[in-house]
Amino acid sequence: MADVFEQDQTHQTLQQVNQALERGMFVHVRRMLQDMEPEDIAHLLEACPPKERQILWQLTDPEEQGEILDELSEDVKDGIVARMAPDKLAAVAEGMESDDVAYVLRSLPDRRFQEVLAQMDAADRHRIEQALAYPEESAGGIMSTDFVTIRGDVTADVVLRYLRMKGELPEATDALYVVDEKNVLIGHLSLATLITTQPDVQIIDVMDDPDEAINVEMDDSEVANLFERRNWLSAPVVDANNQLVGRITIDDVVDIIREDAEHSMMSMAGMDDDEDTFAPVMKSARRRSIWLGVNVLAALAAASVSNMFEDTLDKMAAIAVLMTIVPSMGGVAGNQTVALVIRGLAVGHIGDSNTRWLLSKEARVGLINGILWACIIGGVVVLWKGNLVLGGIIAGAMMTNLLIAGIAGVGVPVILKKFNIDPALAGGMALTTITDIVGLSVFLGLATIFII
Amino acid sequence: MADVFEQDQTHQTLQQVNQALERGMFVHVRRMLQDMEPEDIAHLLEACPPKERQILWQLTDPEEQGEILDELSEDVKDGIVARMAPDKLAAVAEGMESDDVAYVLRSLPDRRFQEVLAQMDAADRHRIEQALAYPEESAGGIMSTDFVTIRGDVTADVVLRYLRMKGELPEATDALYVVDEKNVLIGHLSLATLITTQPDVQIIDVMDDPDEAINVEMDDSEVANLFERRNWLSAPVVDANNQLVGRITIDDVVDIIREDAEHSMMSMAGMDDDEDTFAPVMKSARRRSIWLGVNVLAALAAASVSNMFEDTLDKMAAIAVLMTIVPSMGGVAGNQTVALVIRGLAVGHIGDSNTRWLLSKEARVGLINGILWACIIGGVVVLWKGNLVLGGIIAGAMMTNLLIAGIAGVGVPVILKKFNIDPALAGGMALTTITDIVGLSVFLGLATIFII
């Protein structure tokens, strides 16, 4: 079978590398790294604690460092780049794709940015400055400027001879772009079509229409959605005048697709989606404490609700014992809806045309599960505490809270999105605060009315 | 600019379609659908409530239904297929890729499965039965059996003439596979190389080694990781004898990458990752109630902890008021770690070689944030309740719980993974149960010792 670098192998290699490093066998490690592909070295670095990572990086082949940086995730890349001297960084940048160099430079402080740029040769500097001209999260920011253009009025045979003369095509080339004398995109020709066309046929007669062009200013997530929906392998990028400026290939888009999908999960837990798993302790602690601070406010809000019912709690401890159940169930039910809605918003399934339908559906789902669990929990409480009224109260609160959870689960992310606040980041926390406050108020309120 | 089907446009179209349906203008809707690409119709169907979806489906062009089904997400596909007659389904299957037909057939009850298969013509049936021979979530389950093979001992010119004679290549072909007389894979030749090679050169001298072959039994998530790491556009699939059996292209892999990344988010919220946003109410309610049932047990476990301290709660209501704060903070802090670890496990960064390092890092992060928020919350409680001891108790409980949250946040998903339980599904719930129980026990325990 093939030479496959499987997950287990990463950790075997990592263990071997760790042992070799501990024994100071640097030459041995250097040789191990020389036998590995840049993408596998990148994977190994990402799976390393900071100290080992720094040592390993020193042992990689300087010729390969550009390619390795290309493959690293952002947070890890930043950490390595921050410690490199400007002249070394400039040298490494030569082996990198221009969009990746632009990314690296953007992450540097202004002065170092200028130092690195000054160290590059003129051609590289020009190439990078072009890439820097486009926003990072746009089609222009992820496109490559390395592509092959041809004219429409030549024959397939002429194109084939031209390509043979060139000798090599840019990486991942699956199509050639047909432009006029003003560099305006008039069509594209897949290699498959070129190959199966008779030699004397004119390109203009077999090329496809340029309807797959992407505007250079399009948001990168939208580019990713288009690639995914249309099953493209690559697409030309044009400016406002329809002039060809670049090419986006699926391998750049795959990274964006994964990042976008991971963003939802990490944000819902209050994490940065490019957070390095092996980041230094202080850095992690600082980042996360912000989110904990938001939760402190939510928890204190819930506590002030209980505080309003202090007399009730004072009179019957069983109420205090049971008061966490209703908010807990509401939080879980609401977060199910929030997760569904966040995904729906991200892939573009939810919009003005169907929000109302969805709201009514989730309210009914909440009500049905509310009734179900109201009966069960009510019954458990009657058996446990021998108090029929208490059972009825918790059942009523449960039903109300799961209904509210369904409604808020749709409403909160949709409203956040309308105000341009990231629903994945703020949705879960806002929802939990609502279900905590509603759950506690209704349960303690009913208890105050009917028991005390 | 290009003909781009943007997100806003989906909802504009959907609104137009809804209005036309309400007015019974079915012919108009049918004409609108005829102007759309299959992948855009699929997107429209996914954004539709069930009733409209069923009507819209009836109005799509039967010739295009296969391609539309190909593009639909699983849950939506199941819903539509379940209502189709066997002969119609068999007809539609002709226009579909064999891996998608296999998926559809697998979702049917046994009897209908056989009925549909019986309605197909012999060639189709053979093609589908081959696809059904491999497990759904393996390389064999996602591969296509449509590819071009060539011999190594011919010249580039012969290959070009052969391809011109063929006239058309399978979709997304970027490479040809070189096999020997026993169909054993001996290399592959990218179209780019073929085009730039001189006509009289032998294939065997310019082809690449077959080191990119995927074993037909490899897990599909692993295939996706490989594609992502290696930046492949396509890869040959071989069986245990190294015989070529299929080809996987990046567009199939992109779907798996998104599904895998979405799986983590949806599972953490207790949802199925292929849950249809617009599923019928009863179906959604039934699915979700299972997860709510798990949470009832967790909530009752927490309530029994409070119950053990009923005397304490009876004597001082302020304790009941404050008792939800420590579990809440522990749950949030622990889930930050869980999200990080689940992502790390999914992409293969976390393994035996670095679990201990990560555990110690997260414990320290938990301790630092524990101390920080212990001071803040302790201070708030002293000011609010005017009780120095109560402030000290909540501070101590907070510190302990955030430390435990950090340790459990790494430990729980790693241990679940060892026992082959999906950490994304069970991790968050298990963690919250731990932080609830620890938080309540420590806070109420300290209160019982020092105050009552």
Side-chain angles (χ1 to χ4, degrees), chain B residues 182-185 215 238-244:
Chain B
K182 284 181 183 145
N183 199 33
V184 169
L185 183 72
N215 189 295
V238 293
D239 63 13
N241 303 320
N242 222 7
Q243 286 180 321
L244 185 66

Side-chain angles (χ1 to χ4, degrees), chain B residues 57-75:
Chain B
W57 175 252
Q58 303 294 348
L59 295 173
T60 55
D61 181 356
E63 298 277 306
E64 272 197 330
Q65 287 183 340
E67 269 183 86
I68 298 171
L69 276 185
D70 271 355
E71 301 289 335
L72 284 175
S73 68
E74 302 192 350
D75 214 32

